[in-house]
């Protein structure tokens, strides 16, 4: 996992940058506030602006450690650009992502360390998480909703540390997912997201600065997906 500018500066959604490489319809920037997606989080949306023009950013490609921004028009850019992340979309991803961590923490605590088998945030304000829960009672899962909202209301701070991979592997529960665990960065460390007093786990996504910045969360649906997996769908209220 690369370290992204948005990991250190999640509040910066607009910045002036420079094109360091370009081909028609795509650029690499000196610095970018975009999160390219991954681990279930959708890529940021937004635009690039330059003297006399603007293009929608339609997607990202990581190649040889560089992040290419794909553009909606085949323009070949050079020089200074303004980079603008869509704040509404980012905020929704960040809220949903924080909500999935709280759900995940409660499932881990109340269902004997059950692991995550999949996660996907959606652009309609919903998310799903799949858990390895062969014998769980779906009513017990449904009953987690007030606990999630209570933790949102407690306004727990959220902070980050970087831990060497070998250390992370031996701390129980730090690698929570069987499918979306982030790989280590160039320095061999992984990023740990801590909801203070509740949960620590590896993740490369964007999260709120504290839990009460989220809207309340609803558990919308629980499905059995195969013999082992339970799929919990949640949404922002
Ligand atoms: Zn996360």
């Amino acid at each position: 996992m690369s370290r992204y500018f948005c990991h250190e500066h999640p509040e910066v959604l607009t910045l002036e940058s420079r094109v360091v490489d370009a081909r028609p319809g795509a650029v690499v920037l000196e610095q970018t506030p975009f999160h390219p997606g991954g681990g279930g989080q959708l890529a940021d949306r937004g635009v690039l602006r330059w003297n006399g023009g603007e293009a929608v950013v339609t997607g990202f490609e990581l190649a040889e450690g560089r992040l290419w921004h794909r553009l909606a028009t085949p323009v070949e850019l050079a020089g200074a650009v303004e980079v603008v992340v869509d704040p509404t979309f980012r905020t929704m991803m960040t809220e949903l992502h924080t909500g999935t961590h709280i759900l995940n923490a409660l499932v881990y605590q109340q269902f004997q360390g059950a692991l995550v088998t999949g996660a996907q945030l959606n652009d309609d304000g919903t998310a799903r998480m799949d858990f390895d829960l062969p014998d769980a009672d779906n009513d017990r899962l449904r009953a987690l909703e007030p606990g999630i909202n209570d933790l949102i209301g407690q306004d727990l701070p959220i902070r980050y540390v970087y831990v060497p991979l070998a250390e992370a592997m031996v701390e129980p529960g730090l690698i929570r997912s069987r499918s979306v665990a982030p790989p280590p960065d160039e320095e061999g460390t992984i990023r740990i997201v801590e909801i203070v007093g509740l949960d620590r786990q590896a993740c490369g996504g964007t999260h709120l600065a504290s839990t009460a910045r989220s809207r309340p969360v609803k558990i919308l649906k629980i499905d059995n997906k195969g013999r082992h997996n339970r799929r919990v769908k949640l949404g922002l209220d």
Side-chain angles (χ1 to χ4, degrees):
M1 177 184 68
S2 305
R3 290 196 190 186
Y4 302 132
F5 176 85
C6 65
H7 286 157
E8 311 302 325
H9 305 284
E11 72 293 347
V12 176
L13 298 183
T14 298
L15 58 77
E16 305 292 327
S17 190
R18 295 186 63 78
V19 173
V20 296
D21 200 356
R23 60 175 197 253
V27 290
V28 177
L29 302 173
E30 199 169 69
Q31 200 160 52
T32 179
F34 280 96
H35 192 290
Q41 178 164 337
L42 297 175
D44 276 329
R45 296 173 179 178
V47 296
L48 295 191
R49 293 194 186 117
W50 60 93
N51 196 6
E54 175 175 311
V56 171
V57 176
T58 57
F60 302 90
E61 283 162 43
L62 254 177
E64 291 154 11
R66 301 199 306 168
L67 186 67
W68 284 90
H69 300 58
R70 281 199 301 265
L71 307 174
T73 50
V75 62
E76 191 158 350
L77 294 177
V81 288
E82 185 186 25
V83 195
V84 184
V85 172
D86 176 341
T88 307
F89 188 79
R90 162 70 75 81
T91 300
M92 186 178 75
M93 281 296 115
T94 297
E95 279 184 274
L96 276 174
H97 203 140
T98 304
T100 61
H101 276 262
I102 298 172
L103 167 68
N104 183 346
L106 292 181
V107 169
Y108 186 75
Q109 290 170 7
Q110 297 183 24
F111 293 83
Q112 288 86 40
L115 293 180
V116 176
T117 53
Q120 184 61 54
L121 311 186
N122 302 315
D123 63 4
D124 62 356
T126 68
R128 67 163 171 80
M129 291 204 82
D130 295 342
F131 296 99
D132 182 13
L133 281 171
D135 304 312
D137 174 354
N138 286 350
D139 287 336
R140 270 186 71 207
L141 282 166
R142 234 170 254 120
L144 295 175
E145 184 184 293
I148 296 170
N149 288 314
D150 183 59
L151 289 160
I152 287 173
Q154 288 179 34
D155 201 20
L156 304 174
I158 297 174
R159 64 189 182 196
Y160 302 92
V161 289
Y162 289 85
V163 171
L165 182 63
E167 207 176 292
M169 297 299 282
V170 296
E171 181 178 328
L174 215 53
I175 310 282
R176 192 68 54 78
S177 173
R178 290 200 169 147
S179 63
V180 294
D185 60 20
E186 306 78 28
E187 289 154 51
T189 64
I190 61 168
R191 180 177 188 244
I192 305 301
V193 181
E194 180 177 9
I195 303 179
V196 176
L198 177 70
D199 191 60
R200 273 161 67 81
Q201 63 172 288
C203 185
T206 62
H207 315 82
L208 298 167
S210 66
T211 58
R213 296 178 190 220
S214 178
R215 285 167 273 181
V217 162
K218 268 193 169 143
I219 292 182
L220 301 171
K221 202 171 166 206
I222 302 192
D223 286 321
N224 297 354
K225 288 281 169 189
R227 223 159 56 82
H228 281 276
N229 288 319
R230 295 307 154 94
R231 174 165 293 180
V232 181
K233 190 169 182 193
L234 52 83
L236 295 168
D237 216 352

